[in-house]
């Protein structure tokens, strides 16, 4: 009998709902912001040397919150220089939120925004069809490699678009996170299909090493409060379980044994720690900065 479990990505509205709840319950954006404040200035220190224009490409830019923080650091390092910021983002909803955020933000006069409502693969396909090989000074792909079919090929393509002093920045979950433990144990039982695949920094490291690429890695400590996942019938808990398993209505559609095992796993020290009566899932991230 076919499993009633479906990938969370088959229900975009529920996916966005669970993703927003994840951001509310986790320190995901805070740890990225800290990296951008403290480490990014050194990463971008040479990307625009002597250039009148800096070209930045955001792959999977979402609603733009992190993008605008990154751009503020590029502006600070290269005052007065024109910045072309192109955004690849398949969700029309996210793009409209991004545009609204830009409209409400001051000091963006020297930045020109262009949005492409398409996936990374569609962008690559279109550029090749149009025989356009534009080079970029800084490309970033934040938490989006889970949604591409061929990770090595995607990295290879965008790496080929780097200028001589450029950098390609990737952020994914750490190979030392709770995600790694959970997905190694149960990934094969979950309905990821072609829509989403689990990629951690451990896998990326193997890909980059075999391609002979030069890179630096940074670990970002992060957590997610998943206490509500253990309260039967709790709506937030059900949404967070959906997000953790990439499964739509996981609590209702997963076989009882699988649900019990996943909940048990989530409580273990390999996945989470207990603090002040809360269960905090290890959501550590890795930043990988690749040289041209």
């Amino acid at each position: 009998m076919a499993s009633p479990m479906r990938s969370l990505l088959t229900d975009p509205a529920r996916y966005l709902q669970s993703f927003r709840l994840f951001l509310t319950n986790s320190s995901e954006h805070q740890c990225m912001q800290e990296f951008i404040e403290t480490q990014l200035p050194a990463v971008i220190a040479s990307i625009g040397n002597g250039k009148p224009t800096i070209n930045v490409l955001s792959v999977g830019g979402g609603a733009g919150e992190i993008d605008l923080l990154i751009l503020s650091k590029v502006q600070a390092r290269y005052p007065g220089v024109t910045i072309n910021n192109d955004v690849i983002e398949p969700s029309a909803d996210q793009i409209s939120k991004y545009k609204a955020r830009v409209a409400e933000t001051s000091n963006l006069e020297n930045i020109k925004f262009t949005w492409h409502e398409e996936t990374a693969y569609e962008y690559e396909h279109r550029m090749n069809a149009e025989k356009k090989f534009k080079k970029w000074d800084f490309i970033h792909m934040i938490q989006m490699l889970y949604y591409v079919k061929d990770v090595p090929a995607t990295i290879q393509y965008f790496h080929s678009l780097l200028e001589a002093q450029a950098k390609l920045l990737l952020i994914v979950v750490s190979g030392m996170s709770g995600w790694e433990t959970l997905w190694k144990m149960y990934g094969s039982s979950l309905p990821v299909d072609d829509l989403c695949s689990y990629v951690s920094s451990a896998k990326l490291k193997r890909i980059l090493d075999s391609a002979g690429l030069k890179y630096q890695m940074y670990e970002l400590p992060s957590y997610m409060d998943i206490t509500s996942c253990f309260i039967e019938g709790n709506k937030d808990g059900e949404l967070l379980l959906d997000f953790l398993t990439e499964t739509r209505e996981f609590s209702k559609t997963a076989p009882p044994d699988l649900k019990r095992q996943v909940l048990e796993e989530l409580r273990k020290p390999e996945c989470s720690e207990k603090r002040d009566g809360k269960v905090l899932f290890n959501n550590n991230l890795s930043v990988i900065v690749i040289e041209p």
Side-chain angles (χ1 to χ4, degrees):
M1 199 178 104
S3 164
M5 291 199 295
R6 292 285 169 270
S7 166
L8 181 56
L9 291 170
T10 59
D11 185 342
R14 190 169 173 91
Y15 171 78
L16 268 178
Q17 209 185 345
S18 67
F19 175 63
R20 287 190 189 118
L21 187 64
F22 157 70
L23 289 181
T24 305
N25 276 41
S26 75
S27 61
E28 168 110 349
H29 273 184
Q30 292 89 314
C31 77
M32 286 187 200
Q33 286 162 358
E34 193 179 327
F35 173 83
I36 291 165
E37 286 297 327
T38 59
Q39 312 265 14
L40 188 69
V43 171
I44 60 169
S46 63
I47 62 167
N49 282 351
K51 295 189 170 186
T53 304
I54 294 173
N55 296 315
V56 177
L57 181 61
S58 163
V59 187
E65 185 183 343
I66 298 297
D67 282 20
L68 292 188
L69 288 176
I70 289 171
L71 290 169
S72 72
K73 293 298 164 201
V74 179
Q75 280 182 310
R77 176 67 184 80
Y78 303 99
V81 169
T82 300
I83 300 167
N84 290 324
N85 184 67
D86 278 40
V87 182
I88 300 168
E89 170 53 56
S91 163
D93 178 59
Q94 293 288 78
I95 287 178
S96 71
K97 286 188 171 61
Y98 196 139
K99 289 178 176 176
R101 186 169 261 123
V102 166
E104 292 160 7
T105 306
S106 54
N107 304 325
L108 299 178
E109 295 77 20
N110 62 327
I111 304 177
K112 181 173 172 284
F113 289 89
T114 308
W115 287 273
H116 307 278
E117 191 186 315
E118 56 194 346
T119 64
Y121 176 75
E122 286 163 351
Y123 175 85
E124 177 184 347
H125 193 72
R126 181 170 62 82
M127 288 294 135
N128 287 338
E130 293 172 8
K131 298 204 169 9
K132 286 183 181 166
F133 304 102
K134 183 173 177 177
K135 295 277 187 174
W136 301 89
D137 301 303
F138 187 50
I139 301 174
H140 55 86
M141 308 166 83
I142 296 175
Q143 293 287 53
M144 58 69 65
L145 282 169
Y146 321 113
Y147 309 110
V148 303
K149 280 193 172 66
D150 188 336
V151 174
T154 300
I155 292 173
Q156 204 110 37
Y157 171 71
F158 286 101
H159 181 261
S160 75
L161 305 182
L162 293 177
E163 288 280 16
Q165 299 292 316
K167 297 281 190 286
L168 169 59
L169 182 145
L170 314 175
I171 299 184
V172 293
V173 295
S174 167
M176 316 222 274
S177 67
W179 295 98
E180 183 84 341
T181 306
L182 185 69
W183 280 79
K184 265 190 177 162
M185 294 276 291
Y186 297 106
S188 58
S189 309
L190 299 170
V192 286
D193 304 326
D194 282 345
L195 296 169
C196 177
S197 60
Y198 174 72
V199 186
S200 75
S201 60
K203 181 174 179 178
L204 284 189
K205 194 173 182 316
R206 291 193 292 273
I207 290 169
L208 299 176
D209 288 343
S210 69
L213 295 177
K214 201 170 150 229
Y215 61 91
Q216 275 184 300
M217 281 179 82
Y218 307 79
E219 286 291 301
L220 310 186
S222 175
Y223 66 85
M224 168 175 33
D225 183 349
I226 60 168
T227 315
S228 59
C229 293
F230 304 98
I231 304 167
E232 191 65 43
N234 183 288
K235 288 280 174 278
D236 283 0
E238 288 180 0
L239 278 169
L240 288 175
L241 270 176
D242 284 12
F243 192 76
L244 283 160
T245 60
E246 287 283 347
T247 304
R248 183 181 178 274
E249 304 267 16
F250 176 80
S251 283
K252 294 184 175 73
T253 62
D257 259 9
L258 179 63
K259 182 181 170 183
R260 180 181 52 75
Q261 287 166 1
V262 165
L263 285 169
E264 276 175 17
E265 195 63 41
L266 285 171
R267 280 190 185 275
K268 289 182 183 171
E270 292 80 6
C271 276
S272 304
E273 64 168 291
K274 293 185 177 68
R275 203 191 308 156
D276 304 329
K278 292 179 175 173
V279 183
L280 302 178
F281 180 76
N282 178 332
N283 183 55
N284 288 2
L285 305 176
S286 293
V287 178
I288 303 172
V289 178
I290 308 173
E291 308 286 332

